[in-house]
Structure formats: structure tokens, C-alpha cells
Amino acid sequence: MGMKVGYARVSTSGQNLDIQLDRLADCDRIYREKVSAASAKNRPELKSALDFVREEDVFVVTKLDRLARSVVDLSNIVQRLDEKNGRARPPT
């Protein structure tokens, strides 16, 4: 049985992660960061979470805008997860 792996992010150090962490409370492991980044490449905790997640795990975020800053960014994250699990998607 897989784990529930959560990811929480705020854009500035003045913002608070508490609401997201409350919603992720049932996750087995939570990655969190306070960073404003235009893409996933500049978010080390997201990279760590994506490296950690296994095929049987569930990756949880409270809102899509906490995970991805654009549709392209989201597509790249999904493709990375698919490739990690041996399900490479054809280019679109």
C-alpha cells in the first residue's frame, strides 16, 4: 500500500503554510517550502517530493496553483511523474 505524500507552498516568507498543512494532515509525509518560483525547477522541496513519490503513492496538493504556476509547468510535472513510473507520454 502506498503513502500519501503532500506538498505545500507559499510564495513569500511572510505567508503562512498552516491552512495547507491542516488540509494535508492525513498525509504520511509532507514537503513544504516558502519560495516564489516561476517553475518547478526552482523549488527544491517540490523536486524532493517528486523524487520521493513512488508508483503506488498518492501525491496531494491543496490547490493546483500551489503545485504549478502555468499549464506548461503542470504538464511538465505530470510528465515527470509518468516517466518515473514507466508511463512516458507521447509529445503533444
Side-chain angles (χ1 to χ4, degrees), residues 34-71:
K34 294 184 177 187
V35 63
S36 179
S39 77
K41 294 176 186 175
N42 299 322
R43 291 183 263 156
E45 286 299 304
L46 177 58
K47 180 186 180 319
S48 294
L50 295 175
D51 288 345
F52 177 82
V53 165
R54 301 158 301 185
E55 185 172 2
E56 64 275 6
D57 293 341
V58 175
F59 190 64
V60 182
V61 294
T62 59
K63 291 173 40 177
L64 280 179
D65 69 345
R66 300 297 82 205
L67 176 63
R69 299 289 304 260
S70 68
V71 172

Side-chain angles (χ1 to χ4, degrees), residues 8-56:
R9 180 184 67 85
V10 291
S11 299
T12 66
S13 60
Q15 293 176 319
N16 195 315
L17 288 167
D18 289 348
I19 293 172
Q20 291 178 64
L21 295 176
D22 285 346
R23 291 180 180 163
L24 297 171
D26 65 335
C27 290
D28 301 298
R29 188 169 188 156
I30 300 172
Y31 291 84
R32 60 194 87 191
E33 61 193 341
K34 294 184 177 187
V35 63
S36 179
S39 77
K41 294 176 186 175
N42 299 322
R43 291 183 263 156
E45 286 299 304
L46 177 58
K47 180 186 180 319
S48 294
L50 295 175
D51 288 345
F52 177 82
V53 165
R54 301 158 301 185
E55 185 172 2
E56 64 275 6

